[in-house]
Amino acid sequence: MAERTIPAPPMNPEVQPFFDAAKQGKLLVKRCAACGEFHHYPRAICPFCGSDRTEWKEASGRGVIYSWSVLRRANPPYALAYVTLAEGPTMMTNIVDCDLDKIRIGQNVKVVFKPTDGGPPVPTFTPA
Ligand SMILES: [Zn+2]
């Protein structure tokens, strides 16, 4: 089956380090040094306590499928999902390199970076 062409993600200074790391195959999440909470999508200001003391941490790349949907009318069909990372935050992503009919809530997944159309690679997930 043909690989889906993933559109390039929108870029801004808040997310630049995230995609620079993605080019090296590293998944980063932001953690607040004031309250200790992890969050995603990356923000300069902590969404939990408003502190600007947010810092980048390398994530394990492991997670669990929280919810998913297969877009069967797309060509080729693909799976859009929310994956809850081992570190806590939930991210919107794609489930790739697997039988789309075998995806399950609670399934263990691991990060795999996929190229985009003219942009940096993006983190997607595959069954672990
Ligand atoms: Zn905080």
Side-chain angles (χ1 to χ4, degrees):
M1 191 162 69
E3 284 258 332
R4 171 176 172 246
T5 302
I6 301 175
M11 213 45 71
N12 68 56
E14 267 186 330
V15 299
Q16 186 74 49
F18 179 83
F19 289 109
D20 286 347
K23 288 177 194 162
Q24 296 162 32
K26 290 181 183 173
L27 178 64
L28 297 187
V29 286
K30 274 220 144 171
R31 182 178 175 275
C32 174
C35 73
E37 294 279 354
F38 286 91
H39 70 265
H40 184 85
Y41 212 70
R43 282 169 248 186
I45 303 294
C46 172
F48 296 100
C49 75
S51 170
D52 62 359
R53 291 171 54 211
T54 59
E55 50 198 28
W56 296 100
K57 297 281 181 192
E58 185 172 353
S60 62
R62 301 260 161 190
V64 171
I65 296 174
Y66 175 77
S67 179
W68 93 104
S69 180
V70 175
L71 284 79
R72 297 193 187 276
R73 286 174 174 239
N75 185 21
Y78 68 98
L80 187 65
Y82 282 107
V83 166
T84 302
L85 301 176
E87 289 76 14
T90 297
M91 61 189 289
M92 185 181 274
T93 183
N94 292 160
I95 306 299
V96 299
D97 302 338
C98 68
D99 183 343
L100 298 179
D101 293 326
K102 299 221 164 111
I103 297 172
R104 295 290 176 265
I105 286 171
Q107 195 169 6
N108 289 312
V109 289
K110 64 183 182 203
V111 72
V112 50
F113 288 89
K114 292 289 183 184
T116 61
D117 189 13
V122 291
T124 65
F125 288 79
T126 192

